[in-house]
């Protein structure tokens, strides 16, 4: 059911306890927003998880919902708390202790895009910030919460796959200590947002597809995993970061020649993840 805030594709039959969601692949850039920005269109897209929505769009065919944001991350960051307001950008916002994300310009209404490039010349009003949060942030998170609740109710557990991409340079200089550079980074907040057994199975799904996987370095998860990961309540949240160079030309923000092959590979991974835990829970429920 498409809305202005998000797009949700449900499977014909809900057969998986997994919920796939992509909060940063939105690319509906409002004309008024682009007009106010000092950046060109390509630069403002540098924070976008471009094409991640296409990489994971087979999830409903494997019995799992797929939720994607409509609005871009440069406009509103759904992987931040609604109260992470940046006083350097938003008129009337108060500083609430030291928040490194806000301080660096990456609050819920970002002040910068990748590499610290400033989006605006000046500030925006508090009313405008609240309007973005009310119109886009709250509906997205209300939908996500509902999907996880439905999965938990039906299967006895819920597994949120928080889908992202990362610049190739992020893993090139990450210093993970691995002999091979990670192509996938799974973030479970060092075990706080998901059980080790669940993360093991997700890692196995990617590793079986021939991908090199690391955990929590350089990305351990942010607001989404912190908020929705409750392993003690059988609700798990795992952030998945994919090296963009595997499927896109980062400079041009275009699919590369490997895109279709990698998308096919991802379908196999998604199928395996969607099967985690669902069958035994469903039989127990019946």
């Amino acid at each position: 059911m498409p809305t202005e805030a998000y797009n949700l594709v449900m499977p014909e039959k809900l057969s998986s306890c997994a919920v796939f969601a992509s909060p940063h692949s939105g690319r509906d850039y409002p004309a008024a927003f682009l007009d106010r920005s000092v950046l060109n269109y390509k630069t403002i897209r540098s924070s976008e998880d471009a094409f991640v929505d296409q990489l994971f769009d087979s999830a409903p065919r494997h019995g799992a919902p797929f939720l994607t944001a409509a609005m871009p991350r440069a406009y509103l960051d759904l992987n931040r708390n609604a109260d992470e307001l940046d006083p350097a950008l938003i008129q009337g916002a108060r500083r609430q202790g030291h928040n490194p994300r806000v301080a660096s310009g990456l609050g819920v209404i970002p002040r910068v895009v990748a590499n610290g490039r400033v989006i605006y010349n000046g500030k925006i009003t508090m009313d405008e910030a609240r309007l973005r949060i009310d119109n886009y942030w709250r509906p997205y998170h209300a939908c996500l919460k509902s999907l996880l609740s439905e999965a938990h109710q039906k299967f006895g557990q819920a597994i949120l796959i928080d889908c992202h991409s990362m610049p190739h340079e992020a893993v090139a200089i990450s210093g993970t200590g691995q002999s091979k550079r990670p192509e996938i980074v799974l973030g479970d907040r060092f075990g706080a947002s998901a059980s080790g057994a669940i993360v093991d199975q997700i890692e196995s799904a990617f590793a079986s597809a021939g991908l090199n996987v690391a955990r929590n370095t350089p990305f351990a998860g942010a607001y989404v995993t912190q908020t929705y990961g409750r392993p003690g309540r059988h609700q798990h949240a795992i952030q998945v970061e994919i090296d963009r160079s595997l499927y896109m030309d980062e400079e041009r923000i275009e699919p590369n020649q490997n895109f279709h092959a990698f998308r096919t590979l991802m379908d196999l991974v998604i199928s395996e993840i969607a099967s985690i835990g669902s069958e035994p829970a469903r039989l127990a429920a019946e």
Side-chain angles (χ1 to χ4, degrees), residues 132-152:
R132 294 186 194 184
I133 291 166
D134 289 344
N135 287 348
Y136 303 106
W137 191 98
R138 298 194 191 283
Y140 178 92
H141 282 281
C143 181
L144 181 55
K145 185 177 181 180
S146 176
L147 291 170
L148 292 169
S149 178
E150 182 180 9
H152 193 281

Side-chain angles (χ1 to χ4, degrees), residues 124-266:
I124 68 172
T125 66
M126 179 63 79
D127 285 345
E128 181 173 349
R130 286 175 174 161
L131 195 64
R132 294 186 194 184
I133 291 166
D134 289 344
N135 287 348
Y136 303 106
W137 191 98
R138 298 194 191 283
Y140 178 92
H141 282 281
C143 181
L144 181 55
K145 185 177 181 180
S146 176
L147 291 170
L148 292 169
S149 178
E150 182 180 9
H152 193 281
Q153 183 176 4
K154 182 168 184 178
F155 301 106
Q157 67 175 337
I159 303 172
L160 171 59
I161 306 299
D162 190 39
C163 310
H164 296 264
S165 66
M166 56 188 176
H168 181 66
E169 64 181 13
V171 286
I173 62 175
S174 66
T176 61
Q178 296 191 3
S179 58
K180 290 184 63 179
R181 179 180 296 154
E183 297 166 310
I184 306 293
V185 177
L186 303 181
D188 64 359
R189 299 187 65 83
F190 299 94
S193 71
S195 78
I198 295 291
V199 183
D200 285 347
Q201 291 178 83
I202 293 170
E203 178 173 350
S204 177
F206 283 103
S208 296
L211 295 164
N212 192 39
V213 185
R215 294 195 193 182
N216 294 308
T217 302
F219 304 106
Y223 173 77
V224 167
T225 48
Q226 182 178 13
T227 300
Y228 297 104
R230 295 289 183 268
R233 302 177 188 175
H234 305 289
Q235 180 168 295
H236 312 274
I238 300 93
Q239 179 176 280
V240 175
E241 296 275 2
I242 303 174
D243 182 349
R244 292 173 185 166
S245 69
L246 293 173
Y247 63 90
M248 66 177 279
D249 182 321
E250 294 183 75
E251 177 65 26
R252 296 184 178 183
I253 315 181
E254 295 176 352
N256 64 20
Q257 60 184 7
N258 193 49
F259 180 81
H260 295 293
F262 187 75
R263 191 180 184 189
T264 300
L265 188 70
M266 282 298 299

Side-chain angles (χ1 to χ4, degrees), residues 72-91:
R73 181 186 188 184
Y75 184 82
L76 176 79
D77 193 338
L78 296 167
N79 201 17
R80 296 289 182 266
N81 196 316
D83 66 5
E84 291 187 88
L85 301 174
D86 185 352
L89 174 65
I90 302 165
Q91 296 171 10

Side-chain angles (χ1 to χ4, degrees), residues 65-118:
F66 186 36
L67 174 67
T68 59
M71 305 306 285
R73 181 186 188 184
Y75 184 82
L76 176 79
D77 193 338
L78 296 167
N79 201 17
R80 296 289 182 266
N81 196 316
D83 66 5
E84 291 187 88
L85 301 174
D86 185 352
L89 174 65
I90 302 165
Q91 296 171 10
R94 297 180 179 179
R95 192 172 303 279
Q96 301 177 2
H98 178 67
N99 182 316
R101 294 183 296 270
V102 173
S104 62
L106 297 172
V108 65
I109 310 291
R111 175 167 37 95
V112 302
V113 294
N115 298 318
R117 291 168 289 193
V118 175

